[in-house]
Amino acid sequence: MPQVGQELGGGIVIGLSGGADSLALTAGACAEAFGSKGALAGRNVHAVVVDHQLQQGSAEVAERAAHIARGMGATAEVIAVDINNDSDRGPEYEARLARHRVLRQIAQSRGAALMLAHTLDDQAETVLLRLARGGGPQALSAIRDNLTWSDGTRILRPLLGVRRTDTQRCCEELGLKVWHDPHNQDDHYARVRVRKTILPLLEQELGPGVAENLAKTAGIAAVDNDFLDAHAESALDALLGEEVASASGSLSVRGVAELDDAIAVRVLARWLRQAGAEPSSKQIDMVMALVHRYHGQGEVPVTRGRDGADRNARLVVERKDGTLQLVMNRPAVS
């Protein structure tokens, strides 16, 4: 199992689906935890199976995965969640949000790091999908192997350099019964089409090593993006002043205009996210237009975070008195 690089005092929580990747990760973590060497030696391994209740028999699948994890020496639990099937983002997106929420809450309650079983193949697929959608360095950084989320949860992905064929072979050698998610064969999903058709075609036409090179691209982009993000954080602090208590404080138009565009777009994105927004790249471009191409255009609406208290209010950015101001507007009642 790849080394995670430092001691983990609270042990680890593993997101377990019952598929080959997460079973192989659980097996590797348990082997290291019960061994005498490595970052996990002597640490608790706790597997969490989130039952999204989207398929018939999902409860049995979840319990079987938890049983396998216990058989390897881990503790395990199954958490059932209700998914909003009416969301315009689709059930798969809502399921991912619910799964991450549960995993983060359990990891935090245990003071543990969260381990996820993304592989090199997942990384390559993500890079291709984000390239197709016009992603820049931030998007191409794709999946990170070691990071800390804004709520303090540490996320580890020790299999990010491992191929999916290796996790499947691991499960075969250990005699682990793998669950094959039917969604992973459904061509309705773009990721499945990339996995089954696009990547194999690229390997056929361009030669072997395409997946590895896409993953390498993500690593290079991540280094560049981290450098730019660090400068953007310093620039935002300077624009807001020494007291950065209010993330919704106004920004000087002139101050933003004096920044290089690569830094300015990150400053605006960070400013908006700290205030509870989830801006798209198009929305950030529109806010940039308030700085560089202002001709009296009106306010720019930005997407609000999912946890906003007033669902009827609109979050907008407006240019006023030489500043960019983030304002919560309530629509007029007819």
Side-chain angles (χ1 to χ4, degrees):
M1 179 179 181
Q3 294 296 308
V4 297
Q6 66 184 79
E7 293 297 322
L8 302 169
I12 60 167
V13 168
I14 292 179
L16 176 62
S17 68
D21 298 342
S22 60
L23 282 175
L25 176 61
T26 304
C30 287
E32 188 167 293
F34 302 138
S36 58
K37 298 180 181 180
L40 297 184
R43 307 300 182 190
N44 177 256
V45 178
H46 184 67
V48 178
V49 189
V50 179
D51 176 12
H52 305 99
Q53 305 183 90
L54 292 175
Q55 301 169 7
Q56 187 174 4
S58 64
E60 290 78 7
V61 170
E63 289 294 345
R64 186 185 308 123
H67 178 74
I68 294 173
R70 295 185 190 107
M72 291 188 283
T75 56
E77 63 180 310
V78 175
I79 304 292
V81 295
D82 294 319
I83 303 301
N84 178 14
N85 288 308
D86 297 326
S87 169
D88 56 2
R89 290 172 166 172
E92 289 298 307
Y93 182 89
E94 294 296 332
R96 184 167 61 253
L97 291 182
R99 179 171 65 253
H100 284 180
R101 182 168 57 250
V102 167
L103 293 174
R104 290 165 80 158
Q105 289 172 348
I106 293 177
Q108 288 179 330
S109 70
R110 300 174 69 92
L114 173 59
M115 263 190 193
L116 302 175
H118 295 96
T119 65
L120 185 147
D121 296 83
D122 294 308
Q123 182 76 296
E125 292 160 10
T126 300
V127 172
L128 269 182
L129 286 166
R130 293 184 177 181
L131 275 171
R133 293 165 184 163
Q138 291 169 305
L140 295 185
S141 299
I143 308 171
R144 301 299 189 96
D145 63 349
N146 188 340
L147 76 158
T148 300
W149 278 336
S150 58
D151 61 4
T153 307
R154 185 178 175 204
I155 310 300
L156 299 169
R157 296 182 173 96
L159 301 186
L160 206 54
V162 176
R163 296 302 303 263
R164 190 174 289 132
T165 52
D166 294 325
T167 66
Q168 294 167 347
R169 190 177 302 114
C170 170
C171 291
E172 291 172 2
E173 292 178 357
L174 294 175
L176 301 177
K177 187 173 182 180
V178 173
W179 175 61
H180 299 283
D181 186 348
H183 284 160
N184 290 336
Q185 298 298 319
D186 188 347
D187 291 340
H188 174 75
Y189 300 106
R191 183 175 289 272
V192 174
R193 296 195 297 274
V194 168
R195 180 176 304 162
K196 292 173 59 178
T197 305
I198 306 303
L199 267 174
L201 178 62
L202 288 175
E203 294 273 356
Q204 175 184 318
E205 297 297 328
L206 301 179
V210 171
E212 288 85 353
N213 287 334
L214 287 168
K216 182 178 180 180
T217 296
I220 295 171
V223 173
D224 293 347
N225 190 64
D226 287 347
F227 175 80
L228 293 170
D229 274 350
H231 280 269
E233 183 174 4
S234 297
L236 178 59
D237 288 350
L239 287 171
L240 291 174
E242 294 299 325
E243 298 294 333
V244 195
S246 175
S248 59
S250 61
L251 293 181
S252 163
V253 169
R254 180 177 180 180
V256 175
E258 290 175 348
L259 299 172
D260 290 334
D261 284 355
I263 301 299
V265 294
R266 286 169 170 76
V267 164
L268 294 175
R270 185 178 295 270
W271 174 58
L272 292 168
R273 291 188 182 111
Q274 286 179 354
E278 292 183 355
S280 65
S281 59
K282 181 178 179 180
Q283 290 168 348
I284 293 172
D285 288 343
M286 292 171 68
V287 177
M288 280 285 283
L290 293 177
V291 176
H292 291 296
R293 300 182 299 280
Y294 185 64
H295 49 78
Q297 65 263 42
E299 63 194 22
V300 175
V302 291
T303 305
R304 298 182 54 206
R306 296 179 296 276
D307 299 325
D310 188 348
R311 296 183 180 276
N312 293 318
R314 298 171 62 247
L315 194 60
V316 300
V317 178
E318 60 183 15
R319 175 168 171 160
K320 185 177 180 181
D321 300 328
T323 65
L324 295 177
Q325 300 181 8
L326 198 57
V327 181
M328 189 77 75
N329 286 344
R330 288 186 59 85
V333 178
S334 58

